[in-house]
PDB file of all heavy atoms in Angstrom:
ATOM      1  N   PHE A 126     -53.619  23.257  -4.860  1.00 96.00           N
ATOM      2  CA  PHE A 126     -54.242  22.637  -3.594  1.00 96.00           C
ATOM      3  C   PHE A 126     -53.516  23.274  -2.428  1.00 96.00           C
ATOM      4  O   PHE A 126     -52.445  23.156  -2.090  1.00 96.00           O
ATOM      5  CB  PHE A 126     -53.849  21.105  -3.603  1.00 96.00           C
ATOM      6  CG  PHE A 126     -54.788  20.376  -4.631  1.00 96.00           C
ATOM      7  CD1 PHE A 126     -54.141  19.433  -5.536  1.00 96.00           C
ATOM      8  CD2 PHE A 126     -56.109  20.476  -4.585  1.00 96.00           C
ATOM      9  CE1 PHE A 126     -54.970  18.798  -6.445  1.00 96.00           C
ATOM     10  CE2 PHE A 126     -56.932  19.767  -5.445  1.00 96.00           C
ATOM     11  CZ  PHE A 126     -56.430  18.971  -6.381  1.00 96.00           C
ATOM     12  N   THR A 185     -41.894  13.960  -2.587  1.00 97.00           N
ATOM     13  CA  THR A 185     -43.026  14.526  -3.341  1.00 97.00           C
ATOM     14  C   THR A 185     -43.750  13.274  -3.982  1.00 97.00           C
ATOM     15  O   THR A 185     -43.260  12.224  -4.167  1.00 97.00           O
ATOM     16  CB  THR A 185     -42.706  15.368  -4.555  1.00 97.00           C
ATOM     17  OG1 THR A 185     -41.750  14.687  -5.346  1.00 97.00           O
ATOM     18  CG2 THR A 185     -41.970  16.646  -3.999  1.00 97.00           C
ATOM     19  N   ALA A 186     -45.102  13.654  -4.400  1.00 97.00           N
ATOM     20  CA  ALA A 186     -45.906  12.600  -5.143  1.00 97.00           C
ATOM     21  C   ALA A 186     -45.132  12.249  -6.490  1.00 97.00           C
ATOM     22  O   ALA A 186     -45.359  11.138  -6.963  1.00 97.00           O
ATOM     23  CB  ALA A 186     -47.292  13.007  -5.280  1.00 97.00           C
ATOM     24  N   SER A 187     -44.508  13.316  -7.045  1.00 97.00           N
ATOM     25  CA  SER A 187     -43.946  13.063  -8.304  1.00 97.00           C
ATOM     26  C   SER A 187     -42.816  11.943  -8.255  1.00 97.00           C
ATOM     27  O   SER A 187     -42.830  11.048  -9.007  1.00 97.00           O
ATOM     28  CB  SER A 187     -43.240  14.363  -8.857  1.00 97.00           C
ATOM     29  OG  SER A 187     -44.146  15.435  -8.820  1.00 97.00           O
ATOM     30  N   THR A 282     -56.175  16.953 -10.400  1.00 97.00           N
ATOM     31  CA  THR A 282     -55.665  18.301 -10.020  1.00 97.00           C
ATOM     32  C   THR A 282     -56.567  19.368 -10.549  1.00 97.00           C
ATOM     33  O   THR A 282     -56.721  20.322  -9.839  1.00 97.00           O
ATOM     34  CB  THR A 282     -54.280  18.436 -10.855  1.00 97.00           C
ATOM     35  OG1 THR A 282     -53.484  17.289 -10.523  1.00 97.00           O
ATOM     36  CG2 THR A 282     -53.577  19.646 -10.370  1.00 97.00           C
ATOM     37  N   ASP A 307     -53.050   7.630  -7.622  1.00 98.00           N
ATOM     38  CA  ASP A 307     -52.592   8.983  -7.225  1.00 98.00           C
ATOM     39  C   ASP A 307     -53.624   9.602  -6.265  1.00 98.00           C
ATOM     40  O   ASP A 307     -54.626  10.142  -6.844  1.00 98.00           O
ATOM     41  CB  ASP A 307     -52.236   9.809  -8.456  1.00 98.00           C
ATOM     42  CG  ASP A 307     -51.790  11.206  -8.100  1.00 98.00           C
ATOM     43  OD1 ASP A 307     -51.745  11.471  -6.892  1.00 98.00           O
ATOM     44  OD2 ASP A 307     -51.394  11.931  -9.001  1.00 98.00           O
ATOM     45  N   ASN A 336     -50.294  12.700  -0.056  1.00 98.00           N
ATOM     46  CA  ASN A 336     -49.304  13.732   0.474  1.00 98.00           C
ATOM     47  C   ASN A 336     -49.857  14.355   1.741  1.00 98.00           C
ATOM     48  O   ASN A 336     -50.676  15.254   1.724  1.00 98.00           O
ATOM     49  CB  ASN A 336     -49.253  14.785  -0.602  1.00 98.00           C
ATOM     50  CG  ASN A 336     -48.331  14.523  -1.652  1.00 98.00           C
ATOM     51  OD1 ASN A 336     -47.742  13.471  -1.762  1.00 98.00           O
ATOM     52  ND2 ASN A 336     -48.133  15.470  -2.656  1.00 98.00           N
ATOM     53  N   LYS A 339     -49.827  18.025   1.574  1.00 96.00           N
ATOM     54  CA  LYS A 339     -50.985  18.877   0.847  1.00 96.00           C
ATOM     55  C   LYS A 339     -52.063  19.256   1.778  1.00 96.00           C
ATOM     56  O   LYS A 339     -52.320  20.407   2.115  1.00 96.00           O
ATOM     57  CB  LYS A 339     -51.552  18.062  -0.331  1.00 96.00           C
ATOM     58  CG  LYS A 339     -50.731  18.162  -1.592  1.00 96.00           C
ATOM     59  CD  LYS A 339     -51.391  17.734  -2.700  1.00 96.00           C
ATOM     60  CE  LYS A 339     -50.680  17.807  -4.099  1.00 96.00           C
ATOM     61  NZ  LYS A 339     -49.276  18.167  -4.137  1.00 96.00           N
TER      62      LYS A 339
HETATM   63  N1  LIG B 611     -50.846  14.213  -8.053  1.00 62.00           N
HETATM   64  C1  LIG B 611     -51.732  15.182  -8.047  1.00 62.00           C
HETATM   65  C2  LIG B 611     -53.283  14.684  -8.209  1.00 62.00           C
HETATM   66  C3  LIG B 611     -51.526  16.547  -7.779  1.00 62.00           C
HETATM   67  O1  LIG B 611     -52.463  17.403  -7.792  1.00 62.00           O
HETATM   68  C4  LIG B 611     -50.162  16.985  -7.575  1.00 62.00           C
HETATM   69  C5  LIG B 611     -49.795  18.297  -7.410  1.00 62.00           C
HETATM   70  O2  LIG B 611     -50.753  19.126  -7.131  1.00 62.00           O
HETATM   71  C6  LIG B 611     -49.252  15.900  -7.697  1.00 62.00           C
HETATM   72  C7  LIG B 611     -49.599  14.577  -7.883  1.00 62.00           C
HETATM   73  C8  LIG B 611     -47.718  16.239  -7.478  1.00 62.00           C
HETATM   74  O3  LIG B 611     -47.537  16.555  -6.210  1.00 62.00           O
HETATM   75  P1  LIG B 611     -46.051  16.721  -5.634  1.00 62.00           P
HETATM   76  O4  LIG B 611     -45.821  18.196  -5.731  1.00 62.00           O
HETATM   77  O5  LIG B 611     -46.045  16.269  -4.320  1.00 62.00           O
HETATM   78  O6  LIG B 611     -45.096  16.060  -6.605  1.00 62.00           O
END
Side-chain angles (χ1 to χ4, degrees):
F126 284 126
T185 59
S187 306
T282 309
D307 178 354
N336 275 5
K339 279 194 177 6

